[in-house]
Amino acid sequence: MARWKAGSPAQFLPAELVLSQAEIGVIVADLAGYVVFANEHVARLLRFADEAQALVGKPLGALGLIPEETPGKAEELFRQVLSGTTWEDTVAGHRGDGTLVFVREIAVPFRDPDTGEIDGMVVVVTEAGRRDAQREPDRLMLLERIGQRLAGSLELDATLRHVAQILVPRFADHCFIDLFSGDKLIRRAAAHAGGWEPPVGTWARVGEPISYPPGHFMQQAMSRLETIVVPDLQADFYPAPSEQSMSAADQAGLTSVLASPLYARGELLGCISLALSRLTDRTDPHYDLSDGDLIGAIAGRVAVAIDNAMLFEAERRTALAFQQSLLPQSVPELDGLEVAFRYVPAKPLATQGQGIQTQVGGDWYDIIPLAAGRVGLVIGDVEGRGARAAATMGQLRAALRAYAQDEKSPADIMRKLDEWVRSTAPVGAGGDPPTVSCIYLIYDAWSRELTFANAGHAAPLLALEGTVRPLEVRHKGVLLGVRGRGIRGLPTYREQVVTLAPGAALVLYTDGLTDRRPRADGAGHYTEAEAVAMLRDAVRTAPASAGALAAAAETAVPGDIDDDMAILVFRSSPTDLASAERSFPAEPIMVSEARHLAQATFAAWDMYPDQADLACLLVSEVVTNAVLHASVTPSPSGRRWDLEIDQVDGSGEAAPAHMAPAYCPREFTLRLRRGARSVWVEVFDPDLRLPRLRTARATDEGGRGLYLVEQLATRWGSRPTPEGKTVWFEIPLDGKDR
């Protein structure tokens, strides 16, 4: 130093000498972000094999000083510095050999000495934590573990909980993560060393709101948007949220605190705080500024992960709400049938080339009230997951409901759905239509007949009196939409008829229940046969109610599901429902006979007298129409041209295909059915023409019968039968439900 006095220091300390000898990295970049100068310490710090001169011309981002997982940080740096202000931060960069380096960066504008215009920027880089080099490897490993945890999941609460558990006790004795929900700050994660728990009513627990008073280190971190380091709590005073909170801090023996804001995309999301206490035996139970740099880097990563998770959570809620809106929310009132259902979305799934997908998919179920108390039940699965699969499912459900209300048979509905699915293939794009598995059933609670057709869906389980077995499905059918992929000549969909025993239950489910469930011991996945066996055992030991069977099926196979699943359970009534049926010759005199039968039956069922009289009037009108049409039109031959219906008795054994006699006499049949709140009337006749509602003119002698039915009945309709048609209507028992 003495010899500098002999002349100007500049002649002894040229800038080149200082930049080459100083243990600090200096980088100069132009307005486009390309390096125009870098000193030798940068090459040594970042472990580049070449000399510093080789770094010239490279983009600043290629040096590994800006984390790849936070691309917005580079934009923030350039925007802030080129606007004339200083930028500084502590980040986790990557050296040339791929290792992690924890650096402190300060960037300032580089101005033209003549004009003062900003020509670029100067970035000063130092290795953070040099004063505590022994702890740096642990810190880098800690940062890597947290980065891996944040990158591996979008489940916000689970991620925050694991971050807190990683930090405690390695880096802290206490960790709190608080996030804003609206204008309230809510504690979302907390961890304490050694299993210690604060006394009830002191520190806020997970899920509880928390409010920090002015001057509190957490409030300062959020208001100043910077990390607050409190090396010694005994030397500094900070107000506590409450006296009870201060008492708990004294009980734990807090010694030092770090608080850092969680800030991303220009929005304050919350804050994270770490504390040391006397719960653990540490050499130095105090934090320093280098620890503040570390928690600042951790907070930056956590904030970005929280922001991504919140965006995904908003998308997930929207998709789930969309999915739920497409599924039945309640069970309609059904006679002779107990129904329960479940829908369980899958966990988020990372799929190659598609990123993180939402949990919703194309699984669906439906319960459709049909004519004369019959019920349509369906369960199906559209391939794929996400909003597109859910949208296809919603359209498919609407189409099936329309076909069902039109009184189509199960096989006809499958054919129509297959045609609809194949029509959804992208036009001109060479794409294929989706494939759909589906099974549609129609149950008649009075006759206990179950008619169904299948399109490649898994066979339901039949549960009765402690036994469980798959329902015999003689024609599994092909998936809907398969023929759109160039496969021709596939067999048509066929129907089966099964008679359910009193109290029998059917458990229908989608493949999300049995596919790819991880084993409890972590050794791979259960096979489908093993999963089905567990499902059968769970159903066998469950109570007989539909709700209990659905709950047992939902939890039958352990492990997380990677595909959404739907469960539909229905159970037949243990007792028979009241009904009356009689056939009459198609002669006008029989109208009064039919009315007398209806009147006597309604009286036996304790039907409200006024309603009984009204129902008898409608019976007369419908029966009169049946007699007129049966007497003026020829009867069909009686042959059943639909030869794709197999009759199966209650034991599951196939019976010979039923063929009606070649000649059917002209007669009509009156069928009366009593439910819990309504009465259904059906009139069968051999005429193939379905009635239609029309407005009679003043001079017409007829044409008003169906108008009366339309105005006075709750519902009415008609449907074709193998021998002709049936006209039906529904009317309440007491008149209060109209």
Side-chain angles (χ1 to χ4, degrees), residues 142-189:
L142 181 67
L143 198 60
E144 286 183 343
R145 286 187 61 192
I146 291 177
Q148 292 172 356
R149 170 57 63 182
L150 295 175
S153 174
L154 283 176
E155 293 183 86
L156 182 59
D157 289 333
T159 299
L160 296 180
R161 184 172 61 252
H162 284 113
V163 168
Q165 292 171 350
I166 290 173
L167 292 171
V168 175
R170 170 171 286 189
F171 189 68
D173 296 327
H174 311 272
C175 175
F176 303 102
I177 302 178
D178 304 327
L179 299 181
F180 281 104
S181 177
D183 57 352
K184 292 184 178 181
L185 196 63
I186 306 296
R187 179 140 298 166
R188 300 295 293 270

Side-chain angles (χ1 to χ4, degrees), residues 66-87:
I66 301 175
E68 297 178 356
E69 63 272 13
T70 55
K73 192 174 288 292
E75 299 177 3
E76 179 186 348
L77 185 155
F78 281 95
R79 183 175 59 255
Q80 186 169 330
V81 174
L82 296 182
S83 66
T85 58
T86 301
W87 179 91

Side-chain angles (χ1 to χ4, degrees), residues 313-496:
E313 182 69 16
E315 178 188 351
R316 185 189 71 87
R317 285 196 301 266
T318 301
L320 281 176
F322 174 53
Q323 172 85 5
Q324 294 292 342
S325 69
L326 297 176
L327 294 174
Q329 303 302 308
S330 60
V331 179
E333 291 188 8
L334 304 172
D335 287 303
L337 196 63
E338 181 187 3
V339 179
F341 48 76
R342 297 285 191 279
Y343 175 78
V344 182
K347 288 184 175 295
L349 175 66
T351 56
Q352 185 175 1
Q354 298 180 14
I356 301 296
Q357 294 183 326
T358 57
Q359 299 99 313
V360 301
D363 291 15
W364 98 97
Y365 51 84
D366 206 352
I367 305 104
I368 310 169
L370 300 176
R374 295 152 62 245
V375 181
L377 302 117
V378 62
I379 192 167
D381 183 3
V382 179
E383 69 168 343
R385 63 189 302 178
R388 181 177 180 181
T392 302
M393 175 272 290
Q395 294 174 311
L396 193 61
R397 179 189 174 219
L400 189 147
R401 270 190 162 258
Y403 299 147
Q405 294 295 344
D406 201 26
E407 298 297 337
K408 299 288 186 182
S409 68
D412 286 340
I413 285 180
M414 288 302 171
R415 296 185 191 103
K416 296 289 289 183
L417 289 179
D418 178 63
E419 181 181 346
W420 182 89
V421 170
R422 287 188 282 121
S423 71
T424 61
V427 178
D432 292 325
T435 57
V436 182
S437 70
C438 177
I439 183 169
Y440 177 63
L441 314 94
I442 296 178
Y443 181 64
D444 189 326
W446 282 264
S447 67
R448 300 189 181 276
E449 280 192 351
L450 181 72
T451 307
F452 63 93
N454 193 18
H457 201 79
L461 295 181
L462 177 61
L464 177 63
E465 297 178 351
T467 63
V468 179
R469 62 177 176 84
L471 181 69
E472 182 181 3
V473 179
R474 299 177 60 83
H475 307 285
K476 186 173 182 179
V478 295
L479 299 174
L480 304 177
V482 167
R483 287 195 293 175
R485 304 186 178 219
I487 302 176
R488 306 299 177 190
L490 293 174
T492 57
Y493 299 101
R494 303 180 67 179
E495 293 175 10
Q496 289 179 242

Side-chain angles (χ1 to χ4, degrees), residues 22-171:
E23 292 292 321
I24 188 171
V26 178
I27 303 170
V28 180
D30 60 17
L31 292 174
Y34 289 91
V35 176
V36 297
F37 172 81
N39 68 347
E40 293 299 329
H41 185 72
V42 173
R44 293 193 298 269
L45 175 64
L46 301 180
R47 295 182 184 176
F48 285 104
D50 300 328
E51 296 182 353
Q53 187 63 28
L55 303 181
V56 175
K58 292 186 176 182
L60 185 60
L63 303 186
L65 295 174
I66 301 175
E68 297 178 356
E69 63 272 13
T70 55
K73 192 174 288 292
E75 299 177 3
E76 179 186 348
L77 185 155
F78 281 95
R79 183 175 59 255
Q80 186 169 330
V81 174
L82 296 182
S83 66
T85 58
T86 301
W87 179 91
E88 60 179 303
D89 199 357
T90 303
V91 300
H94 291 277
R95 294 188 173 100
D97 58 4
T99 59
L100 195 67
V101 60
F102 194 54
V103 295
R104 182 70 177 175
E105 302 175 22
I106 301 176
V108 298
F110 184 82
R111 299 181 182 273
D112 185 284
D114 297 327
T115 65
E117 297 290 332
I118 297 177
D119 282 346
M121 67 182 70
V122 179
V123 183
V124 180
V125 183
T126 59
E127 190 171 2
R130 289 296 300 271
R131 291 181 301 162
D132 197 0
Q134 293 180 347
R135 290 192 294 174
E136 185 176 354
D138 290 338
R139 293 177 177 180
L140 296 180
M141 186 179 300
L142 181 67
L143 198 60
E144 286 183 343
R145 286 187 61 192
I146 291 177
Q148 292 172 356
R149 170 57 63 182
L150 295 175
S153 174
L154 283 176
E155 293 183 86
L156 182 59
D157 289 333
T159 299
L160 296 180
R161 184 172 61 252
H162 284 113
V163 168
Q165 292 171 350
I166 290 173
L167 292 171
V168 175
R170 170 171 286 189
F171 189 68

